[in-house]
Amino acid sequence: SQQGEEDPQALSIQEGENATMNCSYKTSINNLQWYRQNSGRGLVHLILIRSNEREKHSGRLRVTLDTSKKSSSLLITASRAADTASYFCATAHSGAGSYQLTFGKGTKLSVIP
Amino acid sequence: NAGVTQTPKFRVLKTGQSMTLLCAQDMNHEYMYWYRQDPGMGLRLIHYSVGEGTTAKGEVPDGYNVSRLKKQNFLLGLESAAPSQTSVYFCASSYPRPGTTVTDTQYFGPGTRLTVL
């Protein structure tokens, strides 16, 4: 069963606005990752945050992790039409199952020029 | 570097036919994975491998078999295709975080779109 659940399922914003997507998970994790998928393409890794980290930045991306609430958020600042894609969170666990990532169902982001 | 490649890109099968999907990676990654993606379902893990000659079942392994005879290749087989196996299949590879078994970043292939009639 899916571990991560993204919220919202779909998001539509104007170019230049910020986009925030949330991910909740159920069991303790070793790391949490965010991926982007353009229509009809493979997934591309965006950012990885480890369980002992609280915030991470990469260009226009900002990821936070709250292990007490079992949740993460992805913020894309100053969005562009090229950011239109589906965004997935994925969790990796310690111990049994550590080899695997468990993906959520994704947030579909539309950025309107 | 080509990264992760998948062949074929598209395939149409009739119910009961068999086929093999090939995944190749040139990053010397230990771990390799096969996922399927269906509308509204995200990615679900079919099988994975943590090294040459080893394979393990994921979340949805029924109807599929895999082999990893060479470190760079991971094959996914459908022995008797069913319409429920119509999906987009993605291969991925990764390395573990040093000193652990935990997967780090996964690198994905472009996908294979399979239709079973």
Side-chain angles (χ1 to χ4, degrees), chain B residues 79-110:
Chain B
E79 290 186 347
S80 180
S84 61
Q85 295 177 303
T86 293
S87 188
V88 181
Y89 292 85
F90 288 100
C91 176
S93 69
S94 74
Y95 46 83
R97 183 182 183 187
T100 77
T101 61
V102 182
T103 179
D104 253 9
T105 300
Q106 292 191 5
Y107 296 82
F108 282 80

PDB file of all heavy atoms in Angstrom, chain B residues 79-110:
ATOM      1  N   GLU B  79       4.940 -13.872 -18.478  1.00  0.00           N
ATOM      2  CA  GLU B  79       4.838 -15.204 -19.100  1.00  0.00           C
ATOM      3  C   GLU B  79       3.541 -15.375 -19.871  1.00  0.00           C
ATOM      4  O   GLU B  79       3.514 -15.976 -20.930  1.00  0.00           O
ATOM      5  CB  GLU B  79       4.960 -16.284 -18.028  1.00  0.00           C
ATOM      6  CG  GLU B  79       6.365 -16.380 -17.437  1.00  0.00           C
ATOM      7  CD  GLU B  79       6.492 -17.547 -16.478  1.00  0.00           C
ATOM      8  OE1 GLU B  79       5.451 -18.112 -16.087  1.00  0.00           O
ATOM      9  OE2 GLU B  79       7.631 -17.878 -16.104  1.00  0.00           O
ATOM     10  N   SER B  80       2.441 -14.843 -19.341  1.00  0.00           N
ATOM     11  CA  SER B  80       1.136 -14.958 -19.985  1.00  0.00           C
ATOM     12  C   SER B  80       0.382 -13.661 -19.712  1.00  0.00           C
ATOM     13  O   SER B  80      -0.268 -13.520 -18.674  1.00  0.00           O
ATOM     14  CB  SER B  80       0.379 -16.162 -19.427  1.00  0.00           C
ATOM     15  OG  SER B  80      -0.889 -16.277 -20.038  1.00  0.00           O
ATOM     16  N   ALA B  81       0.505 -12.727 -20.654  1.00  0.00           N
ATOM     17  CA  ALA B  81      -0.011 -11.381 -20.417  1.00  0.00           C
ATOM     18  C   ALA B  81      -1.527 -11.361 -20.243  1.00  0.00           C
ATOM     19  O   ALA B  81      -2.263 -12.122 -20.903  1.00  0.00           O
ATOM     20  CB  ALA B  81       0.394 -10.461 -21.563  1.00  0.00           C
ATOM     21  N   ALA B  82      -1.982 -10.481 -19.353  1.00  0.00           N
ATOM     22  CA  ALA B  82      -3.407 -10.282 -19.089  1.00  0.00           C
ATOM     23  C   ALA B  82      -3.739  -8.798 -19.257  1.00  0.00           C
ATOM     24  O   ALA B  82      -2.861  -7.946 -19.059  1.00  0.00           O
ATOM     25  CB  ALA B  82      -3.738 -10.733 -17.670  1.00  0.00           C
ATOM     26  N   PRO B  83      -4.998  -8.478 -19.606  1.00  0.00           N
ATOM     27  CA  PRO B  83      -5.375  -7.065 -19.763  1.00  0.00           C
ATOM     28  C   PRO B  83      -5.074  -6.226 -18.526  1.00  0.00           C
ATOM     29  O   PRO B  83      -4.788  -5.035 -18.647  1.00  0.00           O
ATOM     30  CB  PRO B  83      -6.876  -7.147 -20.041  1.00  0.00           C
ATOM     31  CG  PRO B  83      -7.054  -8.469 -20.707  1.00  0.00           C
ATOM     32  CD  PRO B  83      -6.081  -9.386 -20.013  1.00  0.00           C
ATOM     33  N   SER B  84      -5.096  -6.826 -17.333  1.00  0.00           N
ATOM     34  CA  SER B  84      -4.796  -6.091 -16.098  1.00  0.00           C
ATOM     35  C   SER B  84      -3.340  -5.638 -16.036  1.00  0.00           C
ATOM     36  O   SER B  84      -2.971  -4.816 -15.178  1.00  0.00           O
ATOM     37  CB  SER B  84      -5.112  -6.956 -14.876  1.00  0.00           C
ATOM     38  OG  SER B  84      -4.316  -8.129 -14.894  1.00  0.00           O
ATOM     39  N   GLN B  85      -2.503  -6.160 -16.931  1.00  0.00           N
ATOM     40  CA  GLN B  85      -1.095  -5.759 -16.967  1.00  0.00           C
ATOM     41  C   GLN B  85      -0.845  -4.600 -17.940  1.00  0.00           C
ATOM     42  O   GLN B  85       0.304  -4.186 -18.117  1.00  0.00           O
ATOM     43  CB  GLN B  85      -0.205  -6.952 -17.306  1.00  0.00           C
ATOM     44  CG  GLN B  85      -0.234  -8.024 -16.213  1.00  0.00           C
ATOM     45  CD  GLN B  85       0.591  -9.248 -16.547  1.00  0.00           C
ATOM     46  OE1 GLN B  85       0.379  -9.889 -17.583  1.00  0.00           O
ATOM     47  NE2 GLN B  85       1.538  -9.580 -15.673  1.00  0.00           N
ATOM     48  N   THR B  86      -1.899  -4.091 -18.539  1.00  0.00           N
ATOM     49  CA  THR B  86      -1.796  -2.868 -19.326  1.00  0.00           C
ATOM     50  C   THR B  86      -1.384  -1.734 -18.391  1.00  0.00           C
ATOM     51  O   THR B  86      -2.063  -1.454 -17.403  1.00  0.00           O
ATOM     52  CB  THR B  86      -3.140  -2.534 -19.988  1.00  0.00           C
ATOM     53  OG1 THR B  86      -3.435  -3.539 -20.963  1.00  0.00           O
ATOM     54  CG2 THR B  86      -3.094  -1.165 -20.649  1.00  0.00           C
ATOM     55  N   SER B  87      -0.248  -1.113 -18.693  1.00  0.00           N
ATOM     56  CA  SER B  87       0.300  -0.120 -17.784  1.00  0.00           C
ATOM     57  C   SER B  87       1.526   0.522 -18.428  1.00  0.00           C
ATOM     58  O   SER B  87       1.941   0.153 -19.523  1.00  0.00           O
ATOM     59  CB  SER B  87       0.704  -0.795 -16.462  1.00  0.00           C
ATOM     60  OG  SER B  87       1.072   0.155 -15.479  1.00  0.00           O
ATOM     61  N   VAL B  88       2.093   1.492 -17.713  1.00  0.00           N
ATOM     62  CA  VAL B  88       3.401   2.023 -18.078  1.00  0.00           C
ATOM     63  C   VAL B  88       4.405   1.472 -17.081  1.00  0.00           C
ATOM     64  O   VAL B  88       4.190   1.578 -15.866  1.00  0.00           O
ATOM     65  CB  VAL B  88       3.419   3.561 -18.077  1.00  0.00           C
ATOM     66  CG1 VAL B  88       4.798   4.060 -18.488  1.00  0.00           C
ATOM     67  CG2 VAL B  88       2.346   4.115 -19.011  1.00  0.00           C
ATOM     68  N   TYR B  89       5.478   0.884 -17.589  1.00  0.00           N
ATOM     69  CA  TYR B  89       6.471   0.235 -16.737  1.00  0.00           C
ATOM     70  C   TYR B  89       7.746   1.079 -16.706  1.00  0.00           C
ATOM     71  O   TYR B  89       8.266   1.480 -17.740  1.00  0.00           O
ATOM     72  CB  TYR B  89       6.788  -1.167 -17.268  1.00  0.00           C
ATOM     73  CG  TYR B  89       5.619  -2.099 -17.112  1.00  0.00           C
ATOM     74  CD1 TYR B  89       4.606  -2.159 -18.064  1.00  0.00           C
ATOM     75  CD2 TYR B  89       5.512  -2.896 -15.977  1.00  0.00           C
ATOM     76  CE1 TYR B  89       3.513  -2.998 -17.897  1.00  0.00           C
ATOM     77  CE2 TYR B  89       4.427  -3.738 -15.805  1.00  0.00           C
ATOM     78  CZ  TYR B  89       3.431  -3.779 -16.765  1.00  0.00           C
ATOM     79  OH  TYR B  89       2.348  -4.603 -16.585  1.00  0.00           O
ATOM     80  N   PHE B  90       8.217   1.319 -15.495  1.00  0.00           N
ATOM     81  CA  PHE B  90       9.436   2.091 -15.313  1.00  0.00           C
ATOM     82  C   PHE B  90      10.484   1.249 -14.599  1.00  0.00           C
ATOM     83  O   PHE B  90      10.197   0.541 -13.628  1.00  0.00           O
ATOM     84  CB  PHE B  90       9.170   3.347 -14.475  1.00  0.00           C
ATOM     85  CG  PHE B  90       8.397   4.401 -15.192  1.00  0.00           C
ATOM     86  CD1 PHE B  90       7.036   4.548 -14.971  1.00  0.00           C
ATOM     87  CD2 PHE B  90       9.020   5.246 -16.102  1.00  0.00           C
ATOM     88  CE1 PHE B  90       6.307   5.516 -15.641  1.00  0.00           C
ATOM     89  CE2 PHE B  90       8.297   6.226 -16.773  1.00  0.00           C
ATOM     90  CZ  PHE B  90       6.939   6.355 -16.544  1.00  0.00           C
ATOM     91  N   CYS B  91      11.697   1.385 -15.087  1.00  0.00           N
ATOM     92  CA  CYS B  91      12.852   0.798 -14.428  1.00  0.00           C
ATOM     93  C   CYS B  91      13.615   1.917 -13.731  1.00  0.00           C
ATOM     94  O   CYS B  91      13.607   3.074 -14.192  1.00  0.00           O
ATOM     95  CB  CYS B  91      13.754   0.120 -15.456  1.00  0.00           C
ATOM     96  SG  CYS B  91      15.274  -0.557 -14.797  1.00  0.00           S
ATOM     97  N   ALA B  92      14.256   1.586 -12.631  1.00  0.00           N
ATOM     98  CA  ALA B  92      15.062   2.570 -11.914  1.00  0.00           C
ATOM     99  C   ALA B  92      16.279   1.874 -11.318  1.00  0.00           C
ATOM    100  O   ALA B  92      16.286   0.647 -11.135  1.00  0.00           O
ATOM    101  CB  ALA B  92      14.250   3.249 -10.811  1.00  0.00           C
ATOM    102  N   SER B  93      17.290   2.670 -11.024  1.00  0.00           N
ATOM    103  CA  SER B  93      18.468   2.125 -10.351  1.00  0.00           C
ATOM    104  C   SER B  93      18.934   3.111  -9.292  1.00  0.00           C
ATOM    105  O   SER B  93      18.618   4.312  -9.355  1.00  0.00           O
ATOM    106  CB  SER B  93      19.592   1.831 -11.346  1.00  0.00           C
ATOM    107  OG  SER B  93      20.143   3.024 -11.874  1.00  0.00           O
ATOM    108  N   SER B  94      19.666   2.608  -8.324  1.00  0.00           N
ATOM    109  CA  SER B  94      20.154   3.477  -7.254  1.00  0.00           C
ATOM    110  C   SER B  94      21.349   2.828  -6.564  1.00  0.00           C
ATOM    111  O   SER B  94      21.690   1.670  -6.814  1.00  0.00           O
ATOM    112  CB  SER B  94      19.054   3.770  -6.233  1.00  0.00           C
ATOM    113  OG  SER B  94      18.810   2.632  -5.414  1.00  0.00           O
ATOM    114  N   TYR B  95      21.961   3.586  -5.691  1.00  0.00           N
ATOM    115  CA  TYR B  95      23.019   3.081  -4.820  1.00  0.00           C
ATOM    116  C   TYR B  95      22.539   3.258  -3.379  1.00  0.00           C
ATOM    117  O   TYR B  95      21.705   4.119  -3.102  1.00  0.00           O
ATOM    118  CB  TYR B  95      24.308   3.877  -5.056  1.00  0.00           C
ATOM    119  CG  TYR B  95      24.085   5.361  -5.093  1.00  0.00           C
ATOM    120  CD1 TYR B  95      24.013   6.110  -3.915  1.00  0.00           C
ATOM    121  CD2 TYR B  95      23.905   6.032  -6.295  1.00  0.00           C
ATOM    122  CE1 TYR B  95      23.775   7.473  -3.943  1.00  0.00           C
ATOM    123  CE2 TYR B  95      23.657   7.392  -6.329  1.00  0.00           C
ATOM    124  CZ  TYR B  95      23.599   8.105  -5.147  1.00  0.00           C
ATOM    125  OH  TYR B  95      23.350   9.460  -5.180  1.00  0.00           O
ATOM    126  N   PRO B  96      23.045   2.478  -2.468  1.00  0.00           N
ATOM    127  CA  PRO B  96      22.671   2.692  -1.072  1.00  0.00           C
ATOM    128  C   PRO B  96      23.486   3.824  -0.468  1.00  0.00           C
ATOM    129  O   PRO B  96      24.587   4.118  -0.921  1.00  0.00           O
ATOM    130  CB  PRO B  96      23.020   1.356  -0.414  1.00  0.00           C
ATOM    131  CG  PRO B  96      24.143   0.834  -1.244  1.00  0.00           C
ATOM    132  CD  PRO B  96      23.892   1.307  -2.645  1.00  0.00           C
ATOM    133  N   ARG B  97      22.919   4.468   0.536  1.00  0.00           N
ATOM    134  CA  ARG B  97      23.683   5.448   1.292  1.00  0.00           C
ATOM    135  C   ARG B  97      24.902   4.735   1.872  1.00  0.00           C
ATOM    136  O   ARG B  97      24.764   3.656   2.462  1.00  0.00           O
ATOM    137  CB  ARG B  97      22.832   6.032   2.407  1.00  0.00           C
ATOM    138  CG  ARG B  97      23.549   7.120   3.180  1.00  0.00           C
ATOM    139  CD  ARG B  97      22.699   7.649   4.305  1.00  0.00           C
ATOM    140  NE  ARG B  97      23.369   8.756   4.993  1.00  0.00           N
ATOM    141  CZ  ARG B  97      22.933   9.322   6.098  1.00  0.00           C
ATOM    142  NH1 ARG B  97      21.804   8.903   6.645  1.00  0.00           N
ATOM    143  NH2 ARG B  97      23.600  10.302   6.660  1.00  0.00           N
ATOM    144  N   PRO B  98      26.098   5.277   1.724  1.00  0.00           N
ATOM    145  CA  PRO B  98      27.306   4.594   2.210  1.00  0.00           C
ATOM    146  C   PRO B  98      27.197   4.159   3.661  1.00  0.00           C
ATOM    147  O   PRO B  98      26.746   4.923   4.519  1.00  0.00           O
ATOM    148  CB  PRO B  98      28.396   5.661   2.034  1.00  0.00           C
ATOM    149  CG  PRO B  98      27.908   6.477   0.886  1.00  0.00           C
ATOM    150  CD  PRO B  98      26.416   6.533   1.045  1.00  0.00           C
ATOM    151  N   GLY B  99      27.531   2.910   3.920  1.00  0.00           N
ATOM    152  CA  GLY B  99      27.483   2.375   5.272  1.00  0.00           C
ATOM    153  C   GLY B  99      26.127   1.846   5.682  1.00  0.00           C
ATOM    154  O   GLY B  99      25.954   1.390   6.814  1.00  0.00           O
ATOM    155  N   THR B 100      25.152   1.914   4.766  1.00  0.00           N
ATOM    156  CA  THR B 100      23.800   1.429   5.075  1.00  0.00           C
ATOM    157  C   THR B 100      23.275   0.616   3.911  1.00  0.00           C
ATOM    158  O   THR B 100      23.912   0.509   2.866  1.00  0.00           O
ATOM    159  CB  THR B 100      22.813   2.587   5.337  1.00  0.00           C
ATOM    160  OG1 THR B 100      22.423   3.178   4.079  1.00  0.00           O
ATOM    161  CG2 THR B 100      23.418   3.666   6.219  1.00  0.00           C
ATOM    162  N   THR B 101      22.069   0.082   4.086  1.00  0.00           N
ATOM    163  CA  THR B 101      21.380  -0.585   2.972  1.00  0.00           C
ATOM    164  C   THR B 101      20.275   0.297   2.406  1.00  0.00           C
ATOM    165  O   THR B 101      19.561  -0.102   1.503  1.00  0.00           O
ATOM    166  CB  THR B 101      20.748  -1.909   3.436  1.00  0.00           C
ATOM    167  OG1 THR B 101      19.784  -1.628   4.451  1.00  0.00           O
ATOM    168  CG2 THR B 101      21.795  -2.879   3.961  1.00  0.00           C
ATOM    169  N   VAL B 102      20.138   1.505   2.921  1.00  0.00           N
ATOM    170  CA  VAL B 102      19.018   2.371   2.558  1.00  0.00           C
ATOM    171  C   VAL B 102      19.238   2.987   1.189  1.00  0.00           C
ATOM    172  O   VAL B 102      20.278   3.588   0.914  1.00  0.00           O
ATOM    173  CB  VAL B 102      18.830   3.499   3.591  1.00  0.00           C
ATOM    174  CG1 VAL B 102      17.629   4.361   3.216  1.00  0.00           C
ATOM    175  CG2 VAL B 102      18.678   2.915   4.982  1.00  0.00           C
ATOM    176  N   THR B 103      18.211   2.864   0.327  1.00  0.00           N
ATOM    177  CA  THR B 103      18.331   3.438  -0.998  1.00  0.00           C
ATOM    178  C   THR B 103      18.410   4.960  -0.939  1.00  0.00           C
ATOM    179  O   THR B 103      17.688   5.605  -0.186  1.00  0.00           O
ATOM    180  CB  THR B 103      17.161   3.016  -1.895  1.00  0.00           C
ATOM    181  OG1 THR B 103      17.303   3.617  -3.191  1.00  0.00           O
ATOM    182  CG2 THR B 103      15.818   3.420  -1.309  1.00  0.00           C
ATOM    183  N   ASP B 104      19.300   5.518  -1.743  1.00  0.00           N
ATOM    184  CA  ASP B 104      19.338   6.950  -1.922  1.00  0.00           C
ATOM    185  C   ASP B 104      18.567   7.302  -3.194  1.00  0.00           C
ATOM    186  O   ASP B 104      17.621   6.599  -3.555  1.00  0.00           O
ATOM    187  CB  ASP B 104      20.789   7.436  -1.973  1.00  0.00           C
ATOM    188  CG  ASP B 104      21.198   8.177  -0.707  1.00  0.00           C
ATOM    189  OD1 ASP B 104      20.444   8.176   0.265  1.00  0.00           O
ATOM    190  OD2 ASP B 104      22.303   8.763  -0.698  1.00  0.00           O
ATOM    191  N   THR B 105      18.991   8.326  -3.894  1.00  0.00           N
ATOM    192  CA  THR B 105      18.311   8.779  -5.103  1.00  0.00           C
ATOM    193  C   THR B 105      18.150   7.649  -6.109  1.00  0.00           C
ATOM    194  O   THR B 105      19.089   6.902  -6.363  1.00  0.00           O
ATOM    195  CB  THR B 105      19.125   9.899  -5.761  1.00  0.00           C
ATOM    196  OG1 THR B 105      19.249  10.971  -4.841  1.00  0.00           O
ATOM    197  CG2 THR B 105      18.470  10.375  -7.043  1.00  0.00           C
ATOM    198  N   GLN B 106      16.941   7.549  -6.674  1.00  0.00           N
ATOM    199  CA  GLN B 106      16.709   6.584  -7.744  1.00  0.00           C
ATOM    200  C   GLN B 106      16.680   7.316  -9.084  1.00  0.00           C
ATOM    201  O   GLN B 106      16.112   8.401  -9.196  1.00  0.00           O
ATOM    202  CB  GLN B 106      15.407   5.816  -7.506  1.00  0.00           C
ATOM    203  CG  GLN B 106      15.508   4.892  -6.297  1.00  0.00           C
ATOM    204  CD  GLN B 106      14.356   3.921  -6.162  1.00  0.00           C
ATOM    205  OE1 GLN B 106      13.474   3.837  -7.016  1.00  0.00           O
ATOM    206  NE2 GLN B 106      14.362   3.142  -5.091  1.00  0.00           N
ATOM    207  N   TYR B 107      17.265   6.674 -10.093  1.00  0.00           N
ATOM    208  CA  TYR B 107      17.330   7.231 -11.443  1.00  0.00           C
ATOM    209  C   TYR B 107      16.432   6.384 -12.338  1.00  0.00           C
ATOM    210  O   TYR B 107      16.573   5.162 -12.370  1.00  0.00           O
ATOM    211  CB  TYR B 107      18.778   7.216 -11.962  1.00  0.00           C
ATOM    212  CG  TYR B 107      19.689   8.093 -11.146  1.00  0.00           C
ATOM    213  CD1 TYR B 107      20.234   7.643  -9.949  1.00  0.00           C
ATOM    214  CD2 TYR B 107      19.976   9.391 -11.569  1.00  0.00           C
ATOM    215  CE1 TYR B 107      21.052   8.458  -9.195  1.00  0.00           C
ATOM    216  CE2 TYR B 107      20.794  10.212 -10.814  1.00  0.00           C
ATOM    217  CZ  TYR B 107      21.321   9.738  -9.623  1.00  0.00           C
ATOM    218  OH  TYR B 107      22.121  10.552  -8.861  1.00  0.00           O
ATOM    219  N   PHE B 108      15.542   7.064 -13.033  1.00  0.00           N
ATOM    220  CA  PHE B 108      14.505   6.359 -13.775  1.00  0.00           C
ATOM    221  C   PHE B 108      14.771   6.335 -15.274  1.00  0.00           C
ATOM    222  O   PHE B 108      15.333   7.270 -15.845  1.00  0.00           O
ATOM    223  CB  PHE B 108      13.151   7.020 -13.538  1.00  0.00           C
ATOM    224  CG  PHE B 108      12.551   6.647 -12.217  1.00  0.00           C
ATOM    225  CD1 PHE B 108      12.961   7.264 -11.047  1.00  0.00           C
ATOM    226  CD2 PHE B 108      11.573   5.659 -12.139  1.00  0.00           C
ATOM    227  CE1 PHE B 108      12.426   6.911  -9.825  1.00  0.00           C
ATOM    228  CE2 PHE B 108      11.025   5.305 -10.917  1.00  0.00           C
ATOM    229  CZ  PHE B 108      11.459   5.924  -9.762  1.00  0.00           C
ATOM    230  N   GLY B 109      14.315   5.257 -15.912  1.00  0.00           N
ATOM    231  CA  GLY B 109      14.283   5.185 -17.353  1.00  0.00           C
ATOM    232  C   GLY B 109      13.066   5.904 -17.896  1.00  0.00           C
ATOM    233  O   GLY B 109      12.206   6.367 -17.138  1.00  0.00           O
ATOM    234  N   PRO B 110      12.941   5.980 -19.230  1.00  0.00           N
ATOM    235  CA  PRO B 110      11.849   6.736 -19.856  1.00  0.00           C
ATOM    236  C   PRO B 110      10.514   6.008 -19.859  1.00  0.00           C
ATOM    237  O   PRO B 110       9.488   6.603 -20.174  1.00  0.00           O
ATOM    238  CB  PRO B 110      12.344   6.939 -21.286  1.00  0.00           C
ATOM    239  CG  PRO B 110      13.247   5.780 -21.529  1.00  0.00           C
ATOM    240  CD  PRO B 110      13.902   5.483 -20.219  1.00  0.00           C
TER     241      PRO B 110
END
